[in-house]
Amino acid sequence: ASTLPSDNWTYTYPSISGSFLFSQILNAKWLDLGKLRVNYAEVGNDAPWAVIYDTYNPVAPFNGIPMVSVAITKNNPDLLPERTKSIEAGLELSMFKNRIGLDFAVYKSNTINQIQPLSVSSATGYVSKYVNAGEIQNKGLEVSLMLTPVRVSDFSWDITLNFAKNLNEVVYLQEGITNLQLGSLQGGVTINARVGEPYGTIQGTDYVYLNGKRVIQSTGYYAISTTSDNVIGNVNPDWTGGVLNSFSFKGINLSALIDVQKGGDIFSLDMWYGLATGLYPETDFINDLGNPVRDPVTGNAATGGDENSGGVILDGVLADGSVNTRRVTGGNYRLFGYARNPNAGFVYDASYVKLRELSISYDLPRTLMAKTFIYGASIGFVGSNLWIIHKNLPYADPEASQSAGNIQGWQSGVMPTTRNFGFNVKIQF
């Protein structure tokens, strides 16, 4: 790979795999296929272009004199190729004339020498430096279950269920480094690779707790941690899954795919600002006294106000452990938004259930093409991202994040989710 230093620009791809068909030695009529498999492999990866040698960047001339500047990222002439070592074992079963099928796999994968731009002190003249940054481990399982509840001459119904769970951990970074900041984002949160934590932790300010309850300041608002490196979320889901139903009747094929994600976290900058500015209905309601929350606080705020008071009493305890009784106003940006709440107050569960795809097609009868060179033909209609059946993130699609790269778990200015529709014609010769 020419993007690596010449002393380190080669890497190999060794692998070995094996399988055992135990169904061939079992006298079981119900078992069509039974196979155990195991494999081990190593793969490599090179560096991005132009991260080995330092170069000058041209800038606008000054009084006609050509000028250049030093790049803000320090390159590294000693980079090593990335390496991933993985092992996987699995079980495949097919039973009752292919009416039931199972594919079960467990795996573990370790990636070392990952090439990353590491943040450094600006006193060096740079803001980051390319390094081989440690080791990341992924391990988990994947399960697919295939069922055919109905199979008759003109009709069949097939179901495919899948489930996957992955556990991710940053095992090691460079010596003396316990956290690699992947991105610093508006709202004061960062996305990080932190040793002992999953790759993609969300860090920021948090609530202050006393015996498991949020601490309230004497002002009536929540106390906020003095540190901003608290782990307040994790972009990785607990598990993912899906259900695919397929129906076939006399050349008509119908299928519906439902996708599920459980867990994962996302910081919403939209809620961070929107709650502060009163754009969302969560900021306008009837309080515990039966009055509009945006009405002024009247009476003695320290003892909850009088019967005509607006505002709310936040749930929590004072520093001495006593229950909070101070009422605070609900008519400005302090109560619900960023001014008096930590980053943790705007981290949401990214779980969802979606109708990912719905399709219908029709296979044209062979008799229509008997005297032509066409072997088969079908027409179909497909729609994707049709319906978010369930989600916990308000007013936005949990999948609409910052990018498809390292910076996940952060949203800002999310556009409405679009549905996609397509029409297709397939011809076989």
Side-chain angles (χ1 to χ4, degrees):
S2 61
T3 59
L4 288 166
S6 57
D7 292 340
N8 302 319
W9 65 6
T10 61
Y11 45 88
T12 58
Y13 286 76
S15 65
I16 184 171
S17 62
S19 62
F20 171 50
L21 292 172
F22 60 86
S23 56
Q24 295 186 355
I25 62 174
L26 294 178
N27 186 20
K29 294 182 179 180
W30 55 270
L31 183 62
D32 305 310
L33 171 69
K35 182 170 75 171
L36 293 170
R37 67 178 188 273
V38 63
N39 64 76
Y40 175 83
E42 294 186 18
V43 297
N45 192 25
D46 59 5
W49 178 78
V51 300
I52 303 174
Y53 302 113
D54 293 323
T55 58
Y56 292 107
N57 296 324
V59 296
F62 179 74
N63 287 337
I65 301 174
M67 300 187 69
V68 294
S69 68
V70 176
I72 62 173
T73 300
K74 175 69 173 175
N75 290 331
N76 188 344
D78 300 315
L79 287 176
L80 300 171
E82 295 181 3
R83 304 287 298 171
T84 299
K85 304 176 181 181
S86 58
I87 185 169
E88 184 250 5
L91 168 67
E92 296 178 41
L93 294 174
S94 180
M95 299 166 283
F96 304 107
K97 298 182 180 180
N98 295 322
R99 298 286 289 267
I100 300 177
L102 174 70
D103 192 327
F104 176 82
V106 293
Y107 63 87
K108 185 170 80 75
S109 175
N110 287 66
T111 301
I112 61 175
N113 294 331
Q114 292 190 104
I115 299 173
Q116 296 276 0
L118 178 69
S119 297
V120 297
S121 169
S122 58
T124 63
Y126 301 91
V127 299
S128 60
K129 175 185 177 180
Y130 272 100
V131 297
N132 290 109
E135 177 180 359
I136 290 181
Q137 181 182 94
N138 286 279
K139 59 183 179 181
L141 60 87
E142 297 176 348
V143 183
S144 293
L145 178 63
M146 289 71 69
L147 304 172
T148 303
V150 180
R151 183 189 294 160
V152 294
S153 57
D154 292 327
F155 177 75
S156 67
W157 173 24
D158 298 307
I159 304 173
T160 301
L161 300 98
N162 63 76
F163 173 88
K165 182 177 180 64
N166 181 72
L167 298 176
N168 175 282
E169 181 184 357
V170 178
V171 179
Y172 171 74
L173 295 173
Q174 283 195 321
E175 185 176 354
I177 298 175
T178 59
N179 187 76
L180 174 60
Q181 187 179 106
L182 305 175
S184 179
L185 303 166
Q186 189 177 359
V189 298
T190 59
I191 310 299
N192 303 267
R194 182 167 170 166
V195 173
E197 300 280 353
Y199 186 90
T201 56
I202 305 172
Q203 294 182 192
T205 55
D206 199 355
Y207 296 97
V208 177
Y209 294 92
L210 179 64
N211 298 324
K213 295 185 178 181
R214 295 175 180 175
V215 173
I216 306 290
Q217 302 177 80
S218 59
T219 59
Y221 295 100
Y222 287 120
I224 301 175
S225 66
T226 57
T227 55
S228 60
D229 60 350
N230 308 280
V231 176
I232 57 176
N234 168 21
V235 304
N236 300 282
D238 298 332
W239 56 266
T240 58
V243 181
L244 173 64
N245 280 278
S246 301
F247 305 89
S248 178
F249 177 69
K250 293 185 176 180
I252 300 174
N253 304 289
L254 174 67
S255 67
L257 173 63
I258 293 177
D259 271 356
V260 180
Q261 174 175 300
K262 177 65 171 66
D265 298 304
I266 192 163
F267 176 86
S268 174
L269 193 71
D270 294 341
M271 297 300 291
W272 165 270
Y273 283 122
L275 290 173
T277 53
L279 293 179
Y280 295 124
E282 289 90 341
T283 66
D284 189 12
F285 55 88
I286 301 300
N287 69 9
D288 58 310
L289 298 175
N291 305 313
V293 67
R294 294 184 178 182
D295 282 1
V297 174
T298 57
N300 188 350
T303 57
D306 60 32
E307 61 182 8
N308 298 315
S309 180
V312 297
I313 300 174
L314 294 176
D315 183 30
V317 297
L318 302 180
D320 61 4
S322 60
V323 176
N324 175 47
T325 58
R326 176 172 288 277
R327 187 173 296 273
V328 291
T329 182
N332 59 40
Y333 68 99
R334 293 185 179 90
L335 177 59
F336 303 104
Y338 55 84
R340 297 295 179 91
N341 292 280
N343 297 133
F346 306 93
V347 174
Y348 295 87
D349 178 17
S351 300
Y352 63 78
V353 180
K354 291 186 175 184
L355 177 58
R356 180 71 70 185
E357 185 175 285
L358 185 66
S359 67
I360 186 170
S361 64
Y362 177 64
D363 298 326
L364 298 178
R366 289 290 308 278
T367 54
L368 296 178
M369 300 161 285
K371 297 182 179 181
T372 69
F373 61 91
I374 299 175
Y375 177 77
S378 66
I379 56 175
F381 180 80
V382 60
S384 59
N385 294 321
L386 298 177
W387 180 22
I388 302 178
I389 302 170
H390 168 77
K391 65 184 179 72
N392 295 316
L393 174 67
Y395 315 116
D397 184 346
E399 287 190 293
S401 189
Q402 172 73 355
S403 70
N406 288 321
I407 310 302
Q408 300 293 318
W410 184 86
Q411 284 192 333
S412 174
V414 178
M415 298 296 289
T417 302
T418 58
R419 298 182 179 94
N420 302 307
F421 300 95
F423 177 78
N424 60 69
V425 178
K426 297 179 181 179
I427 299 176
Q428 295 175 290
F429 300 100

